[in-house]
Structures are given as structure tokens and as C-alpha cells.
Amino acid sequence: MTHLLFILLGLALMAVTLPLVLELLLVTSANLLPASRRRTADSGKLPDVAIIVPAHNEEQLVPLCVQSLRAAGGPALKIYVIAHNCSDGTAERARLAGADAVVYNDPNAVGKGFALRYGFQYALDRGADAVMVVDADSVVSLNTVTAVQNAFASGARVIQCRYEMFSTTDRSSTRLAALAFRGFNVVRPRGRDRLGLSAGILGNGFAIDREVLQRVPYDAFSLVEDLEYHLHLVMAGERVRYLDHAFISADFPESGTGESVQRSRWEGGRLHTARTLFLPMLNKLLRGRPRLIEPLCDLVGMPMAFGVFALLVTVCLPVSWIRWYAAASLAVVAAHVLTAAWAGPDFFKTLQLLALSPIYILRKLWMIPGVLRGSSGKAAWVRTERNNTL
């Protein structure tokens, strides 16, 4: 009887961890493939890409963001800072930095998704061929605007640039979070792109063609509006291309509280989106849309820290074939982490952090109540508390 209970527990743990393991195996191994050759851009005028900067009480950071965009795109670049329900000087600071500040106040429209929809329509009404989103707390590499324009001219319809968050402190928890973020925001989309799949939208540094926005309107208002809209795109047959050589970067909050709140909201929002879109996606998959397998696995896959904890429990069960599954799955996770470390700035220094990963996993488990609160789907835009402001 006891042995049967261990088998049933093992099967349950296998069921909840398998989507994550399959996703990591697929996208991590694909990073070994050569990068796809991009079609040369057609000669002629490059598309007019307008930059949308959604901002909620970001008066401290928005000037640096606008300055980096102006350096990348030149004086003719259209930069629209959407000052959404702000109670500070975001709009004025954006204007002084050289952007067009668009004040959008609507107490019934809470959440970044509303600011994006308003900004997209504002830019399209003024003749933009495409729009690109850059968060107010970010800076871009000098080649970003040109790289996005060339990608559109070469036939891309939706684009995601490389988006990384860096630790500005020596706090091991934040540096481990940066490593996990690189796995999610670099290793996964790069692998998908090399397999010919949709790379995904990461909420920052993505760009959309006018025609796509008109065909698939931006009606995503959850806590993870980027994930929600990407799933709408793939269900509509669109593919997001990944630009590994165009960088968008931001800093993690120095405040441990701010970091925890941010992660809880993200993961809670993913849980809510999984509950909402799982059945519609499964229905389309069963009706002959095999390309939805990967985004469906990604949608229902556990956060990696939770998945690792579940696999560690699984490997301790006294059932040999279940333990073999757990051991092989942990090897896949290890390969993914090593690939993420290799993609970062200091491989060997990053490896030293892994000794502290059990503490990181325990901290993530402590966040479960916050994740469950975030899964309610209420998308109020809560500015992340930061110490690292100008």
C-alpha cells in the first residue's frame, strides 16, 4: 500500500513538472543550432517606427530612457511617453528630455495594457508604420532602432529584441534572479527562434507592424499583458522574430521587497493567464495547430524554482523509474542554467552563485502567497519600489 502511494505521488509530480522539463529541453538544445540567416532588407525607405514608452510615476528614470532612444534613433525618431495616471512630473521630465509626452488619465483604465493600447492607437493615428515598446526604466543599445527597422523591411511582422535585467548590487539573491531572468528572456526566445517558432513577447523591447495591430488588436490587460498578447498572436498564426543583437536593458530593484513584489506579480499573472487561455489553446491544438504545442507547454509549465523543488522531492521517492525521470529532468535544468550563465557577462563568477541556489528556491517558495494573490487577474499598475533612481 505504501509503495502504491509513492507511485501515485511520483506520477503526480511527473505530471506537473513534465511541461517545464520538455520546454527547457527543447529551447536549451536549440541554442546549439546556428542562428538563422536573415533575409536582406529590400532597398528603399525604412519603415517609420514610433517608440511607445508606457510610464506610471517614472519621473526619475524616464529622462535617461528618452536620451538613450534619441541617441539610437536620431532627431527624427518619434518617441511618445504615455504618462498614465501619473501623480508626479513624468510628463514634464519626458518633454524636457526630448519626447512627446502624452498624458492619459483614466481611473477606470488601470494597468500597463491600457497605456499600451492608447499609445499604439495614438502613434498609428499619426502615420507610424510600426510601434515599439520600451519601458521607462530601460535603456537601449545604439543599434536598436536601425536593427528593428531593418527587420521589418526584411519581412518580420512582430519583433522581440534581447531584453536583460542586471543586478547593480552584490546581493546573491538578485544576481541569481538576473541569471534566471536571462534563461527566461534570452535562452528561451533564442532557442524558439532558431527552431522557427514564435520567440515570445517579453513586455519590453518588442515591436509590432501596423497591419498586425489592425488584425490582432491589443486587447491584453492582465498583469502579464505581454504573455497574453503573444498567445493571441500565435493563435492568430503570427510569429515573433528574435533580435539577439539589439539590446534593451534595465536594473533589478535594489530593494529586496521590490524584487519580491515584482516576481510575485509576474508569476501570479502567468497563473491567471494559464487558467484563462489553456482551454482555447488546447482546442486549437486539437484542431490541427501543432505549432501551439510549445507555447502551451510554456504556458502551463511551473516556475523553474518550483519545478526544481518538485523534482528534488521526486528524486527522493523509493521508486527507481520515477527517480530516473527526476534525475534526467534535473540534468536538463542544469544544462539550461549553464547555458544562461554562458550567455551572460561572467560565466565562472556566475557559477559560484549556484551554491546558493537552495536558498533562492526557498525564498521563491516563501513567495507562493503573493503569487496566488497575483493570480486574481487584477491588473492595477503598481510601480516597483527602487533605490537605484537618478
Side-chain angles (χ1 to χ4, degrees):
M1 184 65 179
T2 302
H3 186 70
L4 177 60
L5 289 176
F6 281 131
I7 291 177
L8 293 176
L9 176 59
L11 290 174
L13 289 170
M14 289 176 65
V16 297
T17 57
L18 187 59
L20 171 66
V21 173
L22 291 177
E23 170 73 8
L24 294 182
L25 177 62
L26 180 69
V27 298
T28 305
S29 59
N31 274 255
L32 299 175
L33 299 174
S36 59
R37 299 183 63 180
R38 305 292 185 187
R39 185 165 64 87
T40 303
D42 298 331
S43 59
K45 180 178 178 295
L46 292 175
D48 177 19
V49 178
I51 309 298
I52 307 300
V53 182
H56 175 64
N57 291 341
E58 292 286 4
E59 65 177 0
Q60 297 295 325
L61 295 175
V62 74
L64 185 60
C65 174
V66 172
Q67 291 163 16
S68 77
L69 287 167
R70 187 61 68 199
L77 180 67
K78 297 174 183 176
I79 305 172
Y80 301 119
V81 173
I82 312 301
H84 184 213
N85 292 336
C86 292
S87 58
D88 66 356
T90 295
E92 182 179 357
R93 296 292 298 276
R95 289 192 191 98
L96 291 174
D100 290 328
V102 182
V103 176
Y104 172 39
N105 291 324
D106 185 348
N108 295 316
V110 293
K112 181 180 174 182
F114 289 97
L116 290 180
R117 184 177 67 173
Y118 188 88
F120 291 163
Q121 192 58 53
Y122 188 91
L124 295 183
D125 289 345
R126 284 152 183 78
D129 299 318
V131 293
M132 179 178 178
V133 174
V134 176
D135 284 350
D137 61 354
S138 306
V139 295
V140 305
S141 59
L142 288 174
N143 68 328
T144 296
V145 175
T146 301
V148 169
Q149 289 175 318
N150 284 328
F152 277 129
S154 300
R157 290 163 59 85
V158 190
I159 298 162
Q160 174 63 57
C161 297
R162 178 167 176 161
Y163 171 35
E164 290 210 53
M165 293 187 73
F166 296 97
S167 172
T168 57
T169 73
D170 288 329
R171 288 175 56 236
S172 57
S173 61
T174 305
R175 291 165 60 201
L176 279 169
L179 175 62
F181 195 88
R182 187 177 304 118
F184 194 88
N185 277 22
V186 177
V187 176
R188 294 195 193 197
R190 179 194 287 164
R192 293 173 188 138
D193 192 65
R194 293 183 181 183
L195 289 169
L197 302 172
S198 185
I201 287 178
L202 306 175
N204 193 5
F206 68 94
I208 312 170
D209 177 78
R210 166 187 284 270
E211 182 182 332
V212 173
L213 268 175
Q214 292 173 338
R215 191 169 82 88
V216 188
Y218 198 91
D219 294 327
F221 308 113
S222 70
L223 289 170
V224 284
E225 74 292 324
D226 50 348
L227 171 64
E228 183 183 351
Y229 187 63
H230 176 246
L231 296 178
H232 291 164
L233 287 173
V234 295
M235 285 191 286
E238 296 290 344
R239 176 191 172 192
V240 180
R241 302 300 300 268
Y242 182 62
L243 294 187
D244 203 19
H245 59 287
F247 283 77
I248 315 295
S249 60
D251 294 333
F252 270 105
E254 290 183 2
S255 162
T257 300
E259 180 189 332
S260 296
V261 169
Q262 188 181 65
R263 295 304 305 177
S264 295
R265 286 168 55 81
W266 284 346
E267 292 173 5
R270 285 182 63 86
L271 179 57
H272 172 77
T273 302
R275 290 202 305 258
T276 304
L277 293 182
F278 173 74
L279 289 179
M281 290 185 66
L282 181 62
N283 181 52
K284 287 183 176 291
L285 173 63
L286 296 176
R287 290 175 178 270
R289 297 282 299 279
R291 283 182 173 269
L292 292 178
I293 294 176
E294 187 277 331
L296 191 59
C297 281
D298 177 57
L299 178 65
V300 301
M302 303 176 72
M304 195 164 74
F306 300 164
V308 169
F309 179 78
L311 289 170
L312 290 173
V313 173
T314 307
V315 83
C316 295
L317 296 178
V319 183
S320 59
W321 56 274
I322 291 178
R323 296 174 70 177
W324 275 110
Y325 161 80
S329 298
L330 288 169
V332 170
V333 173
H336 176 77
V337 172
L338 290 174
T339 303
W342 184 257
D346 194 332
F347 177 70
F348 292 105
K349 186 176 180 180
T350 301
L351 288 185
Q352 296 173 13
L353 288 173
L354 298 182
L356 301 173
S357 55
I359 298 175
Y360 177 76
I361 292 173
L362 290 175
R363 288 184 70 249
K364 295 298 290 289
L365 293 175
W366 185 259
M367 290 164 50
I368 288 177
V371 172
L372 295 176
R373 287 193 298 271
S375 69
S376 67
K378 297 178 180 179
W381 195 344
V382 178
R383 182 185 181 276
T384 301
E385 292 300 323
R386 301 173 184 271
N387 296 329
N388 48 328
T389 55
L390 295 178

